[in-house]
């Protein structure tokens, strides 16, 4: 007799991690920081190693108080998790269940539909507009009495496009108050538009907004898995109920606090990533590929039926990227050396040509 398995999980694909890179190649497949940890962060973590036989503070009280002070909010509205993806899962479980709907743009963060299905809710994917950005009018039209939560990934992964602050404000104001709007700002630190940080401002002004941030990207703590959310207090209380106990380690909390102390140094690194992101975009456009201008730490190339061609071209040049078959290639911004390798790989084309979207 076969072992019992949960029905419905056959519709949930396992999350696919960015492909690893062989020695000497550039790993631009996972939107990681190209910089090693700051010495001050490493030192802070090392000082905590002797106490790893103890459980961490499950409430992350010190970090939550620090973040609450930063954003001028009550610590009760701040929650932590193992990266923004775990916080997204918390929010879904906190507000949605069997028969409910959770909406997001598509393509957007690939974990959204899986997280929704795992919670027993129904994912509602609304196609992006022709400009590879959120079609907010279409999303408003897709709201039903079953809609419980809407994700707005801003900047969007994998396209790097941004919903402007005024546009986002109008959207939030039009969404019914019994629907939670989650503004996922995992890449906000790389946004150089006037809309930078719009999510937090909207959280202060609207009662049905939550915001996700992570320490994985700009702060370079991807290997320690820590992020945080600002959410209405009743939602935050439910998040804590559905969170995995002790899911955020003491070392991760320590590194996050040390990173907040070193934001000046980190800002320099973020600016370097932005320079390489813009360089990547220029290189790709010059080589004839339809790269989308990005405000994240990656560049999206909607190469369509030439996706495999571009992925192979770069891979043979020692650049490992994230390909979405039949749709496009996402290339993370790395170091100047990584960009040099991309440039060299693109130069092996027979001639610049116009890619088909």
């Amino acid at each position: 007799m076969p072992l019992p398995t949960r029905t419905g999980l056959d519709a949930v694909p396992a999350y696919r991690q960015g492909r690893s890179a062989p020695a000497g190649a550039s790993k631009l497949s996972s939107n990681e920081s190209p910089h090693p940890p700051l010495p001050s962060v490493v030192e802070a973590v090392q000082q905590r190693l002797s106490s790893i036989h103890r459980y961490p503070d499950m409430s992350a009280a010190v970090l939550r108080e620090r973040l609450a002070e930063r954003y001028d909010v009550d610590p009760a509205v701040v929650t932590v998790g193992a990266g923004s993806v775990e916080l997204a899962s918390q929010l879904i479980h906190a507000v949605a269940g069997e028969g409910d709907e959770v909406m997001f743009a598509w393509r957007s963060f690939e974990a959204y539909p899986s997280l929704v299905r795992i919670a027993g809710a129904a994912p509602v994917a609304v196609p992006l507009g022709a400009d590879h950005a959120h079609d907010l009018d279409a999303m408003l039209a897709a709201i039903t009495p079953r809609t419980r939560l809407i994700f707005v990934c801003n900047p969007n992964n994998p396209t790097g496009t941004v919903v402007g602050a005024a546009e986002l404000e109008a959207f939030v104001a039009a969404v019914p108050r019994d629907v939670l709007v989650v503004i996922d700002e995992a890449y906000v630190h790389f946004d150089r538009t006037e809309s930078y940080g719009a999510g937090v401002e909207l959280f202060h002004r609207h009662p049905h907004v939550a915001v996700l941030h992570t320490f994985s990207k700009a702060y370079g703590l991807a290997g320690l898995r820590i992020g945080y959310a600002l959410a209405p207090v009743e939602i935050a209380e439910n998040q804590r109920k559905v969170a995995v106990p002790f899911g955020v380690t003491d070392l991760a909390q320590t590194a996050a606090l040390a990173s907040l102390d070193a934001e000046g140094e980190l800002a320099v690194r973020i600016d370097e990533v932005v320079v390489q992101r813009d360089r990547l975009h220029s290189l790709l456009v010059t080589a004839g590929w339809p790269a989308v201008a990005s405000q994240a730490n990656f560049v999206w190339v909607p190469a369509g039926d030439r996706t495999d061609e571009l992925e192979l071209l770069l891979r043979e040049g020692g650049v490992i990227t994230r390909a979405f078959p039949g749709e496009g290639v996402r290339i993370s911004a790395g170091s100047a050396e990584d960009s040099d390798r991309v440039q060299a790989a693109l130069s092996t084309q027979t001639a610049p040509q116009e890619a088909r979207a």
Side-chain angles (χ1 to χ4, degrees), residues 2-265:
L3 292 171
T5 59
R6 177 180 159 188
T7 58
L9 288 183
D10 53 344
V12 179
Y15 185 81
R16 185 167 59 95
Q17 184 174 9
R19 181 183 295 179
S20 58
S26 294
K27 184 177 184 291
L28 303 182
S29 57
S30 295
N31 297 342
E32 300 155 326
S33 171
H35 300 103
L38 288 171
S40 60
V41 175
V42 172
E43 182 180 359
V45 171
Q46 288 175 333
Q47 291 176 357
R48 300 293 295 182
L49 289 174
S50 61
S51 62
I52 60 173
H53 60 300
R54 303 293 186 190
Y55 283 109
D57 174 10
M58 196 168 74
S59 70
V62 175
L63 178 58
R64 286 173 51 233
E65 288 171 4
R66 179 76 175 274
L67 292 168
E69 181 180 355
R70 177 193 185 98
Y71 294 112
D72 191 23
V73 297
D74 189 313
V77 309
V78 184
T79 55
V80 297
S84 57
V85 63
E86 202 249 324
L87 288 156
S89 178
Q90 288 178 15
L91 285 165
I92 294 168
H93 283 274
V95 304
E98 200 72 38
D100 295 329
E101 294 177 348
V102 175
M103 187 191 303
F104 44 83
W106 197 254
R107 174 172 288 278
S108 190
F109 181 37
E110 65 183 292
Y112 289 156
S114 295
L115 294 175
V116 174
R117 289 190 175 99
I118 290 168
V124 177
V126 178
L128 294 168
D131 57 355
H132 307 286
H134 286 66
D135 187 339
L136 297 182
D137 289 338
M139 294 178 76
L140 285 174
I143 296 173
T144 75
R146 296 170 56 194
T147 307
R148 296 291 175 268
L149 185 152
I150 300 173
F151 281 107
V152 178
C153 188
N154 202 39
N156 187 47
N157 176 15
T159 63
T161 51
V162 170
V163 178
E167 213 183 343
L168 189 56
E169 174 102 45
F171 174 76
V172 168
V175 172
R177 294 298 181 269
D178 60 350
V179 175
L180 183 68
V181 180
V182 179
I183 303 170
D184 186 346
E185 294 188 331
Y187 300 96
V188 71
H189 296 86
F190 307 100
D191 183 2
R192 292 298 179 265
T193 72
E194 294 179 358
S195 299
Y196 178 92
V200 175
E201 292 298 317
L202 290 173
F203 173 77
H204 280 287
R205 291 200 295 271
H206 295 272
H208 61 311
V209 168
V211 183
L212 300 182
H213 283 181
T214 183
F215 286 93
S216 296
K217 315 300 181 187
Y219 291 87
L221 302 184
L224 285 177
R225 310 307 302 126
I226 183 166
Y228 61 93
L230 307 180
V233 66
E234 64 272 23
I235 303 298
E237 289 173 356
N238 276 350
Q239 282 183 258
R240 285 185 268 275
K241 292 176 184 176
V242 301
V244 175
F246 305 107
V248 178
T249 68
D250 181 70
L251 298 184
Q253 294 177 45
T254 298
L257 286 164
S259 295
L260 292 174
D261 287 336
E263 286 191 308
E265 292 177 84

Side-chain angles (χ1 to χ4, degrees), residues 228-319:
Y228 61 93
L230 307 180
V233 66
E234 64 272 23
I235 303 298
E237 289 173 356
N238 276 350
Q239 282 183 258
R240 285 185 268 275
K241 292 176 184 176
V242 301
V244 175
F246 305 107
V248 178
T249 68
D250 181 70
L251 298 184
Q253 294 177 45
T254 298
L257 286 164
S259 295
L260 292 174
D261 287 336
E263 286 191 308
E265 292 177 84
L266 288 168
V268 174
R269 293 181 166 196
I270 294 167
D271 286 343
E272 291 174 2
V273 171
V274 168
V275 167
Q276 296 308 318
R277 175 199 71 197
D278 293 344
R279 182 184 172 200
L280 274 181
H281 179 259
S282 178
L283 290 171
L284 288 156
V285 170
T286 300
W289 294 97
V292 177
S294 173
Q295 293 297 329
N297 66 336
F298 51 81
V299 175
W300 172 243
V301 187
D305 58 8
R306 295 183 64 207
T307 293
D308 290 347
E309 176 188 341
L310 177 58
E311 190 274 335
L312 180 61
L313 174 71
L314 293 170
R315 177 157 44 93
E316 289 182 340
V319 179

